[in-house]
């Protein structure tokens, strides 16, 4: 199994990803990826992120 990686976001990166989550013109897949990156940066595991995204 591959080793887990840690995501570290700057304030600007986090803010940009947060904006992606609310913009209506961005594709759903892009929004989900933005959410997943932000959740991973908070320390959630992949399984927890998958459950969060449903």
């Amino acid at each position: 199994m591959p080793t887990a990686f840690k995501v570290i976001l700057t304030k600007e990166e986090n803010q940009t990803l947060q904006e992606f989550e609310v913009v209506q013109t961005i594709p759903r897949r892009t929004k989900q990826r933005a959410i997943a990156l932000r959740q991973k940066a908070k320390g959630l595991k992949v399984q927890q992120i998958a459950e969060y995204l449903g």
Side-chain angles (χ1 to χ4, degrees):
M1 177 178 272
T3 59
F5 63 93
K6 186 173 184 178
V7 175
I8 301 172
L9 301 173
T10 64
K11 284 185 178 183
E12 293 81 17
E13 292 169 334
N14 189 47
Q15 183 176 356
T16 300
L17 291 173
Q18 189 173 18
E19 290 170 4
F20 283 179
E21 294 177 27
V22 295
V23 175
Q24 298 298 321
T25 57
I26 292 179
R28 180 177 176 219
R29 183 176 180 178
T30 303
K31 288 183 181 188
Q32 287 180 330
R33 288 180 177 180
I35 292 168
L37 280 171
R38 290 186 67 231
Q39 296 297 324
K40 184 66 179 163
K42 291 180 183 178
L44 271 68
K45 296 180 181 180
V46 175
Q47 182 64 32
Q48 293 171 313
I49 295 170
E51 291 172 1
Y52 180 82
L53 291 175

